């Protein structure tokens, strides 16, 4: 409820970022206060001081330098809260021999190109909890991408200001937000034991792959989660259950498989061009089953027995490691030698259809580029759900609804998608070069515009 009581207007830090300061306006009377934050015993930034109330923003801004200077010189013990529940999590100190470390993990910790992702994941780890006790071990070895998917979902929920409860071992997250509670269980599509050859060349072969093979890949993990019958657990109650699935079955699979997932969930073929470009989705024909070799699976996951207990399936059309890299660079993490550009499409409310895309190609650090964690997240609502998911939950995602032969969706104006990331390391700069880009000044002063765009949804 803090989102309705106060508006965050600006963030500041002293040069070493040991102490932060947020200026918040009380929405009831218009007064302003400065909230000083510092790391507690396990590394989380938490409030350590609340200033007096100021009638104007200018007076609050004037008070910031003295507050930062005073609190930055204090001992670490002055920042401790006394209620820290555990030791600091450490994602990155290897727990295995190099031969057992996942290639993705090794790239994350050793590649300068991935240093922005490393930095922002390190920041997240201070706030993450591990009820099963095996997160770090699997993050480094057998389930790196599954754990990256969980971290991405954690970032989305935090951005949406949800309270995240991990008291129960399953489903993974109980989120509590302004529009209700829901459980989220994370699952991934993984490469087959025989290995994956990847997407074929040729229009006909690719269409067959997307219409037949990829839905079969989605069916396996989703049906296994359905068989867990989470809704029978007493702690679920009448709260919605969401299955969150990410496709890691081969390189670049995430960005290409959302139409396949949509087809499998609803038992319906959709026009490929319309789906991929965010035009009005055009249902083409009903799909009874998906076949690949000797494998056959019935289409229409939401029509399966028991699936009425699943309120929605969520996924993403953006490659998660590059998502962490872009978000990390924009937040000031990583090597200062990295140059990064993003190109793709953005929904445009000015188009006659209301949400047709426009192309963009820009520096990730440009003021003209904006990206949120939730950008790229797709929510597929179950038309048969016993407990329908409130459309306002995770409201800045792309929402899909299909029933009785009709499709409707909610797309977010200016939301980027189909993002290609190009980066290189400028070796002419020293590795310890200071951060000088004007776009990176948010490290020192971040004008926080939480409601800066997308006040209305189009769809």
């Amino acid at each position: 409820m803090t989102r309705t009581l106060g508006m965050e207007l600006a963030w500041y830090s002293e040069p070493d970022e040991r102490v932060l300061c947020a200026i918040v306006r009380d929405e009831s009377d218009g007064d302003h206060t400065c909230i000083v934050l510092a790391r507690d015993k396990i590394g989380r930034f938490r409030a350590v001081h609340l200033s007096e109330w100021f009638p104007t923003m200018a007076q609050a801004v004037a008070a910031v330098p003295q507050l930062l200077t005073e609190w930055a010189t204090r001992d670490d013990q002055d920042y401790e809260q006394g209620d820290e529940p555990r030791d600091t999590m450490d994602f990155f100190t290897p727990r295995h021999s190099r031969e057992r470390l996942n290639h993705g993990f090794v790239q994350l910790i050793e590649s300068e190109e991935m240093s922005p992702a490393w930095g922002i994941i390190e920041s997240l780890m201070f706030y993450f909890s591990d009820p099963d006790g095996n997160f770090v071990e699997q993050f480094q070895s057998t389930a790196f991408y599954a754990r990256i998917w969980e971290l991405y979902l954690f970032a989305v929920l935090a951005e949406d200001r949800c309270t995240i409860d991990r008291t129960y071992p399953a489903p993974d997250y109980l989120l509590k937000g302004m529009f209700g509670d829901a459980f989220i269980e994370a699952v991934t599509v993984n490469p087959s034991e025989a290995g994956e050859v990847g997407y074929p060349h040729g229009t006909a072969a690719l269409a067959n792959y997307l219409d037949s093979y990829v839905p079969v890949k989605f069916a396996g993990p989703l049906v296994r989660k359905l068989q867990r019958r989470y809704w029978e657990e007493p702690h679920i109650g009448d709260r919605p259950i969401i299955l969150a699935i990410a496709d890691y079955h081969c390189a670049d699979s995430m960005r290409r498989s959302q139409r396949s997932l949509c087809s499998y969930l609803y038992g319906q073929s959709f026009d490929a061009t319309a789906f991929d470009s965010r035009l009005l989705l055009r249902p083409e024909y009903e799909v009874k089953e998906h076949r690949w070799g000797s494998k056959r699976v019935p289409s229409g996951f939401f029509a399966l027995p028991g699936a009425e207990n699943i309120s929605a399936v969520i996924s993403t059309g953006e490659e998660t490691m590059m998502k962490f890299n872009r978000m990390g660079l924009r937040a000031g993490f990583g090597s200062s030698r990295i140059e990064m550009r993003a190109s793709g499409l953005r929904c445009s409310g000015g188009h006659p259809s209301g949400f047709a895309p426009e192309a963009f190609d820009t520096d990730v650090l440009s003021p003209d580029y904006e990206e949120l964690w939730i950008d790229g997240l797709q929510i597929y609502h179950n038309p048969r759900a016993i407990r329908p998911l409130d459309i306002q939950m995770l409201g800045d995602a792309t929402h899909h609804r299909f029933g009785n032969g009709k499709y409707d969706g909610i797309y977010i104006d200016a939301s980027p998608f189909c993002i290609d990331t190009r980066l290189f390391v400028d070796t002419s700069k020293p590795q310890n070069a200071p951060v000088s880009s004007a776009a990176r000044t948010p490290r020192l002063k971040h004008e926080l515009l939480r409601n800066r765009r997308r006040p209305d949804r189009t769809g």
Side-chain angles (χ1 to χ4, degrees), residues 26-42:
D26 186 327
E27 293 297 88
S28 63
D29 60 15
D31 284 350
H32 303 74
T33 188
C34 302
I35 302 175
V36 179
L37 302 99
R39 293 194 185 275
D40 68 6
K41 192 174 183 179
I42 63 171

Side-chain angles (χ1 to χ4, degrees), residues 266 280-281 391 399-403 406-411 459:
Y266 294 118
L280 280 170
L281 299 199
I391 202 79
H399 292 257
H400 303 273
R401 296 186 295 191
F402 180 80
K406 296 181 179 180
Y407 171 87
D408 71 270
I410 293 178
Y411 300 84

Side-chain angles (χ1 to χ4, degrees), residues 110-117 322 325 335 338 340 423-425:
E110 294 185 354
S111 169
E112 187 173 355
E113 289 87 346
M114 298 303 297
S115 58
M322 282 298 103
N325 229 19
S335 169
I338 289 178
M340 190 182 299
L423 64 87
F424 70 95
V425 177

Side-chain angles (χ1 to χ4, degrees), residues 325-337:
N325 229 19
R326 294 191 303 271
M327 298 297 282
L329 190 71
R330 286 181 58 77
F333 294 104
S335 169
S336 59
R337 305 198 304 176

Side-chain angles (χ1 to χ4, degrees), residues 226 264-267 299-308 382-384:
L226 185 64
Y264 169 64
L265 294 175
Y266 294 118
S299 191
F301 173 80
F302 287 140
L304 295 177
E308 66 274 9
N382 184 353
R384 299 176 56 243

Side-chain angles (χ1 to χ4, degrees), residues 204-220:
L206 179 59
N208 185 45
Y209 187 88
L210 292 170
D211 293 340
S212 302
Y213 182 72
V214 178
V216 169
K217 293 291 289 185
F218 275 114

